[in-house]
């Protein structure tokens, strides 16, 4: 298969054209996997994927992980998480507020998700231009840009991540918080992880899930966390994805943060579905 690959001019991001994912041979799949490791966010454009085809492609990356938000799962394929602002009979058909905060998927788990794949079916438009972009931040570049003393400091520290930290304030929080707390107690990960596939050091923290830094006095920890949260989303580390229907966007949760932009509203419709691959502990 004659894949056409272009890199963005940002530290992360690439685009693949001229491919039909259900027909992808092993060699072409390897090239896409390498590209995800190298560029962290990869758009496969021009797809027309059934739910089953999306699942089949995602499984090539590893075991799929079902998301805990039961009301937002596809009714026939619970491996798929629906991200949408569409209402049916007055009820949301998926998660209406995924990505309000900068975050990385599954940081609240002992083994966070490795990659996520979001497939665009309907993309809102304003004045003929797509809106509802997704923003990404390059956590390897953000680590490299830290002053050496800060790098040495974060290398020794761990952050605590919690689902309920921001979740309690989100509209999706219909499920019982006490039950969620039992199911997902806070977890700790290194503040700088070594990427399991590439070996690259990446900062691992986010405004969405990181509640505190272990082993520092509270005010010192808070100040460092705030400074790091601001540092990682500096414009030079960002990549902005403008969606088109048929895009399958693959991102590496170990090397990036992401955030949605909510610059649209019904009757502008947005419909996407996400498959998520299980990952491993960072040590
Ligand atoms: C997600 C997510 C952001 C968006 O699906 O994990 O954060 O722009 N989505 O839909
Ligand atoms: Mn997300």
């Amino acid at each position: 298969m004659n894949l056409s690959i272009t890199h963005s001019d940002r530290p992360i991001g690439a685009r693949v054209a001229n491919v039909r994912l259900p027909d992808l041979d092993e060699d072409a799949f390897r090239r896409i996997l390498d590209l995800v490791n190298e560029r962290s966010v990869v758009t496969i454009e021009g797809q027309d994927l059934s739910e089953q085809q999306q699942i089949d492609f995602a499984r090539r990356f590893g075991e799929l992980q079902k998301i805990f938000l039961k009301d937002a799962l596809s009714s026939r394929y619970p491996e798929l998480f629906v991200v949408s602002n569409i209402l049916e009979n007055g009820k949301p058909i998926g998660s209406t507020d995924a990505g309000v905060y900068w975050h990385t998927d599954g940081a609240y788990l002992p083994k966070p998700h490795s990659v996520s794949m979001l497939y665009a079916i309907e993309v809102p438009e304003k004045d003929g231009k797509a809106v509802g972009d997704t923003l990404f931040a390059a956590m390897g570049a953000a680590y490299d840009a830290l002053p050496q003393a800060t790098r040495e400091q974060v290398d020794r520290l761990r952050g605590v991540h919690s689902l309920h930290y921001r979740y309690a304030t989100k509209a999706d929080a219909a499920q019982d918080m006490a039950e969620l707390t039992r199911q997902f107690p806070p977890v700790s990960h290194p503040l700088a992880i070594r990427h399991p596939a590439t070996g690259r050091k990446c900062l691992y923290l986010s405004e969405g899930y990181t509640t505190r830094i272990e082993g520092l006095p509270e005010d010192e920890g808070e100040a460092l966390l705030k400074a790091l949260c601001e540092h990682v989303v500096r414009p030079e580390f960002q990549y902005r994805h403008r969606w088109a229907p048929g895009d399958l966007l693959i991102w590496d949760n170990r090397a990036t943060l992401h955030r949605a932009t909510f610059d649209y509203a019904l009757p502008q419709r947005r419909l996407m579905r996400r498959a998520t691959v299980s990952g491993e502990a960072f040590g």
Side-chain angles (χ1 to χ4, degrees):
M1 208 169 282
N2 189 18
L3 300 187
S4 145
I5 295 175
T6 46
H7 289 194
S8 82
D9 60 1
R10 316 297 303 160
I12 50 176
R15 177 172 281 276
V16 179
N18 197 27
V19 65
R20 231 186 72 86
L21 291 180
D23 302 337
L24 203 66
D25 61 30
E26 188 54 27
D27 181 55
F29 173 70
R30 286 274 141 203
R31 289 180 62 202
I32 290 181
L33 189 59
D34 289 347
L35 190 63
V36 173
N37 282 329
E38 187 190 351
R39 300 297 297 170
S40 305
V41 184
V42 172
T43 308
I44 319 274
E45 63 177 45
Q47 300 305 299
D48 180 12
L49 295 174
S50 67
E51 291 183 296
Q52 188 63 57
Q53 286 170 328
Q54 184 176 356
I55 289 171
D56 290 345
F57 176 67
R59 283 222 170 96
R60 299 178 80 163
F61 288 79
E63 199 179 310
L64 300 193
Q65 177 120 25
K66 289 185 193 149
I67 305 307
F68 69 93
L69 288 165
K70 302 211 167 45
D71 289 346
L73 304 182
S74 155
S75 48
R76 278 182 307 149
Y77 296 89
E79 298 89 342
L80 295 177
F81 173 59
V82 178
V83 176
S84 184
N85 67 341
I86 298 171
L87 306 175
E88 261 169 25
N89 304 320
K91 253 192 78 191
I93 62 165
S95 171
T96 57
D97 61 359
V100 173
Y101 298 101
W102 283 103
H103 69 286
T104 183
D105 297 336
Y108 53 86
L109 298 169
K111 296 179 175 183
H113 314 316
S114 54
V115 297
S116 300
M117 284 168 240
L118 190 61
Y119 176 59
I121 300 159
E122 290 185 61
V123 176
E125 280 189 9
K126 194 176 173 196
D127 305 325
K129 256 180 51 183
V131 287
D133 297 354
T134 305
L135 309 178
F136 290 85
M139 299 298 267
Y143 175 84
D144 293 346
L146 289 173
Q148 189 181 338
T150 315
R151 273 204 310 269
E152 286 171 5
Q153 186 186 24
V154 300
D155 279 345
R156 292 190 300 269
L157 293 169
R158 299 176 69 88
V160 176
H161 303 250
S162 164
L163 178 61
H164 337 102
Y165 178 44
R166 301 285 192 192
Y167 196 73
T169 66
K170 293 189 9 170
D172 278 342
Q175 286 173 33
D176 180 12
M177 288 309 294
E179 173 52 29
L180 282 177
T181 309
R182 269 194 299 279
Q183 227 180 317
F184 300 104
V187 294
S188 124
H189 301 297
L191 269 190
I193 61 166
R194 196 165 278 293
H195 191 286
T198 64
R200 184 170 186 188
K201 273 289 187 77
C202 298
L203 283 173
Y204 194 81
L205 57 102
S206 69
E207 63 163 0
Y209 289 130
T210 316
T211 57
R212 64 185 179 85
I213 293 176
E214 280 179 347
L216 283 183
E218 197 176 312
D219 50 348
E220 203 182 317
E222 244 172 56
L224 178 60
L225 183 57
K226 182 167 179 286
L228 290 172
C229 281
E230 286 169 8
H231 169 78
V232 296
V233 300
R234 271 167 34 185
E236 62 266 39
F237 306 135
Q238 282 191 37
Y239 166 77
R240 181 177 192 112
H241 181 68
R242 174 165 295 161
W243 291 91
D247 280 352
L248 181 79
L249 191 67
I250 309 173
W251 64 82
D252 185 338
N253 285 303
R254 299 146 316 176
T256 57
L257 295 185
H258 61 279
R259 202 189 87 180
T261 52
F262 291 93
D263 55 352
Y264 61 94
L266 289 173
Q268 298 162 302
R269 286 159 58 108
R270 191 173 190 265
L271 174 59
M272 315 215 159
R273 53 180 199 232
R274 193 186 94 191
T276 312
V277 182
S278 302
E280 48 196 279
F282 299 125

